Amino acid sequence: MPSRRSSGNANISLSYSSPKEYTIAQIDVEGAEFLDAVALKSISGLKVGDKIKVPGDEISNALKKLWKQGLIGNIEILANKVEGESIYLTIALQERPRLSRFEFSGISKSQESDLKEDIELIRGRVMTNAMVKNTELQVKSYFFEKGFLNTEVQMDYRQDSSLRNSIIMEIKVDKKNKVKIRNVNFVGNTEFSDSKLKSKMKNSGERPRIKVPSAIGGIVLNAFKSGTEKKKLKQDSTTWTDTFYGIIQENIKLNVFKSNKFVKEKYEEDKESLIAFYHSKGYRDAKIVEDTIVNIDFKSLDIDIRVDPGKKYYFRNVYWVGNYIHDDATLDRILSVEKGDVYDMESLDKRLNFNPNGPDISSLYMDNGYLFFSVTPVEVMVEGDSIDVEMRIYEGAQATIKKVYATGNDRTYDHVIMREIRTLPGQKFNRSELIRTQRELSQLGYFDPEQVVPNPLPNPADETVDIEWKLVERPSDQIELSGGWGGNFGFVGTLGLTFNNFSLKNLTHFDKWKPLPVGDGQKLSLRAQANGTQYQSYSVSFSEPWLGGRKPQSFGVSYNYSIQRFNPSGRNFRSFTGSLQVQGVTVSLGRRIQWPDDYFTLSNSVSYLRYALDEYFGNQLGFDTGIANNISFNTTLARNSVDNPMYPRTGSSVSLSLALTPPYSTFNDIDYSTADNADRYKWVEYHKWMFDAKYYMQIAGDLVLETRAHFGYLGSYKPSIGVGPFERFQVGGDGLTGTSFLLGTDIIGLRGYENNSITPIDRERNIRGGTLYNKFTMELRYPVSLNPSATIYVLAFSEAGNNWLNFSDYNPNQMYRSSGFGVRIFMPAFGLLGIDWGYGYDPQPVAGEYTPNQPASGGQIHFSIGQTLR
C-alpha cells in the first residue's frame, strides 16, 4: 500500500513483511469531479471505524470493487497519515472521460443514420471499455449482415474543448469488399439436382449468371414473338397469353432478385430450409453431415455441403383418436393422405393446421367455434420404409366471443373499425371470418396492411375468447402537386387534396382537427388544374361509405367545372374569341350484396353534364355555338377479393358497368337526317358498356403476377344517328387524363406509344375517338420495400391493345403490342407514383390509322400518378 508524507507528520513506514492492524480514522476522496465521493466510499467497502490490516486483503478488495465499476481510469488508495493505531486513507482516482458526441467516417449518410439508431451510445455517459467494444461489435454486425465480412472498425478520440473531461469519438469504418458466394457445392448428392437444392437456399444460393435487365427483357420479348419480326412461335401454342405465362414460369427459376452475399445467420436458416426440403420429399432422417466454408479471397467464398439423406419413407396407415364431432371418413377426406404417399410432414402440417390453398382440419373445427381444438400427429410405428401415424385430437368446447376491441387506432374512431368486423360478441368463434375481417380492415387504407393483426385471447375457464385487433395507423391523406405539358394548352399545373379519413360531423369542432377533422372514414377530394385563363378545371367530391352508420351503403356526390378558351389565330394568348364550359354533378348510391357471394357490390349513379359552346372551333363537334346536355344513369356490378390494396398478392377484382342516357331520338320530333349538329347533340344519347378484370397470383414469396383485361363499347340506340363525339375512347401512353376529358372521353393507357396516339378519326363527321377498345396486360411484380411510409416495387410488363372506330372495324387479332419495365412508389402523402420504360413493337398510328411497313414505335418513358384503372 503506498504511503504519503503529510505535513506535521513523520514519514509513514509500512512493512509488507509484517502487516499491522489499524483502525480507519478517516477516508478522503481525491480526483472525483463528476462521481459522488460518498458513493465511491460505499462501493469500496471501507468504513470509518473498520479494523484493517495494512498491507492486507481489505485494501486490495476495495481497489477491485472500485475498478469493477468501469468508471475510473486510474486509482490507488494511499495511507495519508498514521497516528498510533489509527490510519487516515485517501482514495486517489482519475475519472474516465465522458462521451461528448460521436461521428462516423468511411460510410454513407444513410448507413450512418441506420447505425445511429442501432448502436447504444448516449451523450454524457462514461467511456468504458465495454461500451467501446460493444460499439465496435455493433458496427461490424451491421455490415456483416450486408455481406461485408472483413469490415474493420477503429476508434479515434479527441478532447472536446467546450466540455471538461469530455471526448469526441470518431468511428472509422473500412467496409472492405462484400464477400459473395461464388459456388455452392453439394458433395455426394444423388437424389436431386444441384440447381434444385440451391433453389431451396433462398439467402445463400449463388446468383444466376444473368443480368436483371436481360432477364426481364428475355421474359417480355419472348412474350410477343410473332410473324417475320422474330422467330415464330410453335403453331401448337395456344394463345399469346399462355405463351407469356409459360415463359414466366420458365424464367422464374432463375431467381433474378436473389442476393448472394454471405450472412452467417441467413446461411444457418438456409441449412434448415435445405433439410426441410429433404423431409418434404420423404427423407425423414436427412441431416447435414458437414459443411465447409472456403475463403477464396477477400471478395468471395465457396460453400461445400455434404448431406446424408437416409432412407425415403412413405405413409402407411393414418389413425384418428379423440374425434367425436367429425367421423374418420370426413377427416380422411380433408387430410387427403393415401397409403403409399411420400412421407411429407410439411404438407401434412398444412392440411392439419392451415392450408392457404384448400381446406384443413383446424378450419373444419375452428370455423365452428372450436378455438381450443388441437391435433398432434404421432409416429406409432416405423417398419421398413413405411410409417403409421396416429392423429391425436383434442376437440375442446366451443368458444363464444366475449369482447372485441381495437388498439393502435389513434386517429380512426372505433365505430369505423367495428362496422367492418365480422366476428362480433356473442357469436361463436370463426377463424375464416377472422381472416376475412383482417382483409377488410387492410382494405380501408387507414392502417398499415402488413400490421393488421388479430390477437385472440382465450378464456378456457368460461369457454370464451376476447379478440384484440392490433392496428398501426398510417397517414392516408394525399396531396397532388404536379405540372405537365398539356398539348395546345402548354404548361398545366395541378393541385389536389384528398382526405381519405374525413369526418364531416366534426367540421365545426376545432378541438378534433388533426390537423383536419378525421376519423369517420369519409372521403373529401378537392382538385384544381390551370394554365392561366386559357384552361381551368375545378372539382370537389365527397363520399360516405356507411350512409346512416348501420349498413354498408355508400353515398357520394361530386361537382366539377371546366372552361377552355380558344383563339383561332393562336397569336395572342390573352385574347380569346371562343370558349367551352363544362359543368357537371353526380350523385351515387352503392351497397354490398350477398349473392353470388359477399365480395360483390352494386352501385348506381345519376349524373348531369352541361356543355356550353360559344364560338368554339377547337373540339371537332361539328358546331361552334350551342348547348349539349348529358343526363346518364350508371350501374356497376363489381367483385373485389384482393388481399392488400397497396401490394396485392392474391385475389381478383372484376367490374361490369353500364351507362345509359334516355333514348331521346325515339320520342322527340327532330329529323336527324337533316338536323344540324347543334340540334343533334342538344341531348346526348348513348349506351356505354365497360368491363375490367384483374387477377393476382403469388408465384414465389412476394413475387406476384398480375393479369388484366379491359373492354369498352359505346353504342347508339339508332344506327342511323350513330355515336356522337362524347364518351369515346382514346388509347396510348401513360393513361393520365388529357385535354379530351372535357368531352367525357375515357383515356386508356398503353405503354410504348405516345399519349392518346391510338385514336381513330371519323373523317366524315370530323370526330376523334373510338367506340370499341380492348386491352390486355401482364405484370410481374417484386417489392423492394413494404414499409408503410414508402411502399416500392419493381415490375416487368407486356401488354397489347387497340381502339376501333366502330364495330365493323373490330379485329381482336390486330393489337398494338409493347413490353418493358418500371417502378412504383407509394407514399401516403402523395399516393402512387410511377415511371415506366415501354417498347412499342408496332408502328405508331398516323392520323388515327395503322401504318404498315413503318418503324416500330420504339422506346417511350411514361410517368404516372395514382392508381390507373385501365
Side-chain angles (χ1 to χ4, degrees):
M1 175 179 178
S3 60
R4 167 185 291 179
R5 181 171 182 148
S6 176
S7 61
N9 196 60
N11 287 338
I12 301 171
S13 178
L14 301 174
S15 174
Y16 285 88
S17 60
S18 56
K20 184 178 178 181
E21 190 173 73
Y22 293 95
T23 299
I24 301 175
Q26 183 176 322
I27 303 174
D28 294 325
V29 177
E30 289 182 359
E33 184 177 358
F34 297 98
L35 300 176
D36 183 71
V38 175
L40 290 171
K41 293 176 187 179
S42 177
I43 292 170
S44 73
L46 299 175
K47 299 188 296 293
V48 174
D50 286 353
K51 293 184 180 296
I52 63 172
K53 285 186 178 181
V54 180
D57 291 339
E58 294 87 347
I59 298 298
S60 298
N61 290 335
L63 288 170
K64 289 178 182 177
K65 290 176 181 177
L66 290 167
W67 188 261
K68 186 179 179 180
Q69 301 304 310
L71 305 174
I72 301 168
N74 188 31
I75 185 171
E76 57 183 346
I77 299 178
L78 305 172
N80 192 43
K81 184 171 63 173
V82 173
E83 292 180 349
E85 295 183 353
S86 297
I87 188 168
Y88 295 77
L89 301 179
T90 297
I91 302 175
L93 57 89
Q94 181 181 355
E95 292 184 357
R96 285 181 180 270
R98 294 176 178 268
L99 179 65
S100 170
R101 69 174 188 272
F102 63 94
E103 55 193 35
F104 292 90
S105 61
I107 60 176
S108 67
K109 292 292 185 183
S110 62
Q111 292 169 341
E112 180 178 335
S113 177
D114 291 342
L115 281 169
K116 284 183 177 179
E117 293 181 4
D118 293 342
I119 62 178
E120 300 170 356
L121 288 177
I122 300 176
R123 295 182 61 183
R125 277 197 175 178
V126 176
M127 293 288 296
T128 64
N129 292 334
M131 185 177 74
V132 173
K133 190 63 178 177
N134 286 339
T135 299
E136 180 183 346
L137 292 175
Q138 286 175 320
V139 173
K140 285 186 175 181
S141 176
Y142 172 82
F143 286 103
F144 283 0
E145 291 179 1
K146 296 183 177 299
F148 297 95
L149 303 187
N150 301 312
T151 298
E152 293 181 359
V153 179
Q154 178 183 337
M155 307 295 189
D156 281 357
Y157 312 94
R158 65 180 185 271
Q159 189 69 34
D160 189 342
S161 59
S162 62
L163 296 171
R164 289 185 301 167
N165 197 32
S166 296
I167 64 170
I168 300 170
M169 182 169 68
E170 181 182 1
I171 306 172
K172 294 183 177 180
V173 182
D174 185 359
K175 297 182 298 185
K176 306 295 184 183
N177 292 306
K178 271 189 179 181
V179 177
K180 298 187 177 182
I181 300 169
R182 192 184 68 169
N183 293 306
V184 178
N185 305 311
F186 294 93
V187 182
N189 171 44
T190 57
E191 285 72 22
F192 306 100
S193 66
D194 285 3
S195 61
K196 185 71 173 179
L197 297 180
K198 290 174 184 177
S199 70
K200 303 304 172 184
M201 302 183 68
K202 297 181 179 181
N203 301 299
S204 304
E206 58 187 276
R207 183 185 295 274
R209 304 295 192 262
I210 186 168
K211 294 182 179 179
V212 172
S214 62
I216 295 175
I219 293 174
V220 296
L221 288 173
N222 287 333
F224 284 115
K225 287 181 178 177
S226 63
T228 59
E229 297 173 329
K230 309 169 189 72
K231 184 179 179 180
K232 286 188 176 181
L233 293 169
K234 292 182 179 180
Q235 295 299 318
D236 59 351
S237 296
T238 52
T239 64
W240 66 267
T241 54
D242 295 329
T243 304
F244 178 63
Y245 178 73
I247 292 168
I248 288 178
Q249 293 276 42
E250 189 65 24
N251 282 274
I252 287 304
K253 65 183 181 183
L254 294 174
N255 294 316
V256 170
F257 301 99
K258 184 191 295 182
S259 170
N260 69 341
K261 63 189 177 188
F262 181 82
V263 178
K264 181 68 175 176
E265 182 181 349
K266 297 296 184 182
Y267 173 57
E268 295 299 326
E269 292 178 7
D270 281 347
K271 289 197 294 184
E272 294 177 4
S273 299
L274 185 63
I275 295 304
F277 168 71
Y278 273 94
H279 289 172
S280 70
K281 298 302 180 182
Y283 295 94
R284 166 180 172 270
D285 303 325
K287 60 182 178 181
I288 295 177
V289 178
E290 61 178 347
D291 63 305
T292 307
I293 298 173
V294 182
N295 291 313
I296 305 302
D297 49 38
F298 287 109
K299 297 181 181 180
S300 59
L301 56 80
D302 286 352
I303 299 176
D304 297 333
I305 300 176
R306 183 187 295 275
V307 180
D308 179 9
K311 186 186 295 184
K312 188 172 185 177
Y313 292 88
Y314 302 87
F315 285 106
R316 187 170 62 182
N317 298 308
V318 176
Y319 306 103
W320 299 94
V321 178
N323 56 306
Y324 302 101
I325 307 299
H326 300 286
D327 57 24
D328 291 1
T330 300
L331 300 178
D332 283 338
R333 185 173 62 254
I334 295 176
L335 191 65
S336 299
V337 172
E338 301 291 340
K339 183 180 293 188
D341 285 352
V342 172
Y343 187 75
D344 179 2
M345 289 302 293
E346 181 181 351
S347 176
L348 184 72
D349 182 68
K350 287 182 180 179
R351 296 174 188 176
L352 287 175
N353 296 302
F354 182 70
N355 184 8
N357 300 316
D360 58 75
I361 302 298
S362 290
S363 293
L364 182 67
Y365 280 90
M366 289 191 178
D367 287 352
N368 196 27
Y370 291 93
L371 172 63
F372 308 109
F373 163 85
S374 66
V375 55
T376 305
V378 178
E379 296 177 0
V380 293
M381 180 175 288
V382 179
E383 186 174 342
D385 63 354
S386 300
I387 298 177
D388 292 346
V389 180
E390 186 174 88
M391 303 296 178
R392 298 177 181 176
I393 288 179
Y394 172 72
E395 294 178 334
Q398 286 180 302
T400 302
I401 300 173
K402 186 176 182 180
K403 290 192 301 182
V404 180
Y405 59 95
T407 59
N409 53 315
D410 304 322
R411 290 162 54 90
T412 306
Y413 293 122
D414 285 347
H415 73 270
V416 175
I417 299 167
M418 298 306 297
R419 68 193 185 191
E420 301 291 341
I421 289 177
R422 295 169 176 263
T423 51
L424 300 175
Q427 296 178 347
K428 296 296 182 183
F429 179 82
N430 188 307
R431 189 175 71 175
S432 295
E433 292 297 334
L434 199 72
I435 295 172
R436 177 68 183 275
T437 298
Q438 185 178 22
R439 172 191 174 272
E440 303 292 348
L441 293 177
S442 299
Q443 291 279 8
L444 289 177
Y446 315 143
F447 313 107
D448 176 12
E450 306 293 328
Q451 298 188 65
V452 176
V453 180
N455 182 29
L457 304 170
N459 308 306
D462 59 0
E463 299 176 354
T464 63
V465 59
D466 297 338
I467 300 177
E468 174 193 14
W469 285 96
K470 294 183 177 181
L471 308 171
V472 177
E473 293 263 17
R474 70 174 186 185
S476 56
D477 299 334
Q478 296 175 3
I479 180 171
E480 178 187 354
L481 184 60
S482 62
W485 193 258
N488 295 331
F489 298 144
F491 180 83
V492 177
T494 302
L495 174 62
L497 297 172
T498 301
F499 307 102
N500 286 305
N501 195 3
F502 191 69
S503 176
L504 185 63
K505 71 179 182 181
N506 290 329
L507 194 61
T508 58
H509 300 280
F510 298 105
D511 58 323
K512 297 182 179 180
W513 286 39
K514 303 177 183 177
L516 288 173
V518 298
D520 275 330
Q522 299 162 347
K523 182 177 181 179
L524 175 66
S525 295
L526 309 169
R527 195 169 189 266
Q529 277 188 312
N531 77 330
T533 56
Q534 186 180 10
Y535 169 71
Q536 296 175 5
S537 176
Y538 309 96
S539 64
V540 57
S541 65
F542 173 82
S543 63
E544 164 60 77
W546 284 67
L547 185 62
R550 294 183 178 275
K551 294 183 179 181
Q553 297 179 339
S554 61
F555 168 77
V557 61
S558 65
Y559 171 79
N560 66 276
Y561 170 81
S562 302
I563 183 168
Q564 176 183 346
R565 296 179 175 88
F566 183 70
N567 182 356
S569 67
R571 295 177 181 176
N572 187 349
F573 294 104
R574 294 175 179 262
S575 176
F576 302 103
T577 59
S579 66
L580 168 62
Q581 293 186 53
V582 182
Q583 296 184 70
V585 62
T586 301
V587 178
S588 63
L589 286 171
R591 61 188 176 94
R592 300 176 189 176
I593 56 178
Q594 303 296 315
W595 188 89
D597 62 33
D598 59 359
Y599 287 100
F600 278 85
T601 58
L602 179 66
S603 60
N604 301 296
S605 65
V606 176
S607 65
Y608 170 68
L609 288 172
R610 182 178 185 273
Y611 302 89
L613 287 80
D614 182 15
E615 297 184 6
Y616 186 78
F617 299 93
N619 247 297
Q620 300 175 333
L621 294 175
F623 68 103
D624 55 31
T625 300
I627 302 294
N629 300 277
N630 183 348
I631 300 175
S632 63
F633 169 77
N634 181 287
T635 184
T636 300
L637 179 66
R639 184 184 188 275
N640 187 347
S641 62
V642 174
D643 65 330
N644 186 321
M646 289 302 99
Y647 188 76
R649 296 175 179 86
T650 60
S652 62
S653 173
V654 182
S655 70
L656 175 65
S657 67
L658 170 62
L660 300 168
T661 64
Y664 301 106
S665 59
T666 62
F667 53 76
N668 61 27
D669 55 359
I670 297 177
D671 183 0
Y672 284 91
S673 61
T674 58
D676 60 19
N677 286 337
D679 291 331
R680 181 187 296 269
Y681 301 136
K682 183 175 182 179
W683 294 98
V684 179
E685 66 174 39
Y686 59 83
H687 54 91
K688 189 175 186 178
W689 304 75
M690 304 291 285
F691 175 80
D692 301 284
K694 300 179 182 179
Y695 177 74
Y696 300 93
M697 180 174 65
Q698 196 167 4
I699 297 177
D702 287 328
L703 186 64
V704 174
L705 176 67
E706 181 204 46
T707 57
R708 302 200 305 264
H710 306 280
F711 302 89
Y713 174 68
L714 181 68
S716 62
Y717 296 110
K718 288 186 177 180
S720 59
I721 299 175
V723 179
F726 303 94
E727 301 292 330
R728 290 180 174 246
F729 306 112
Q730 294 188 10
V731 178
D734 49 37
L736 297 180
T737 302
T739 59
S740 300
F741 84 97
L742 289 168
L743 299 180
T745 304
D746 276 291
I747 308 298
I748 315 299
L750 186 63
R751 291 163 286 190
Y753 299 89
E754 293 182 4
N755 286 354
N756 310 329
S757 60
I758 305 174
T759 303
I761 300 175
D762 183 347
R763 302 193 180 281
E764 182 179 345
R765 294 191 293 167
N766 194 28
I767 296 176
R768 285 177 55 85
T771 62
L772 182 68
Y773 90 93
N774 287 170
K775 180 187 172 183
F776 305 94
T777 300
M778 285 190 173
E779 281 189 1
L780 193 63
R781 300 175 171 184
Y782 189 82
V784 176
S785 168
L786 294 176
N787 190 309
S789 61
T791 300
I792 306 171
Y793 62 87
V794 294
L795 60 90
F797 70 87
S798 288
E799 58 188 11
N802 203 353
N803 189 11
W804 294 272
L805 187 61
N806 49 59
F807 197 82
S808 61
D809 297 332
Y810 178 64
N811 182 358
N813 295 318
Q814 185 185 36
M815 307 288 273
Y816 289 89
R817 304 157 299 163
S818 67
S819 60
F821 51 87
V823 62
R824 295 291 182 273
I825 302 174
F826 176 83
M827 292 183 289
F830 298 98
L832 190 66
L833 309 175
I835 181 171
D836 297 295
W837 179 86
Y839 186 90
Y841 296 112
D842 296 291
Q844 189 96 352
V846 175
E849 295 184 358
Y850 180 73
T851 54
N853 303 320
Q854 297 294 319
S857 175
Q860 304 274 345
I861 294 178
H862 304 283
F863 297 93
S864 60
I865 301 174
Q867 291 273 17
T868 54
L869 176 61
R870 304 178 179 94

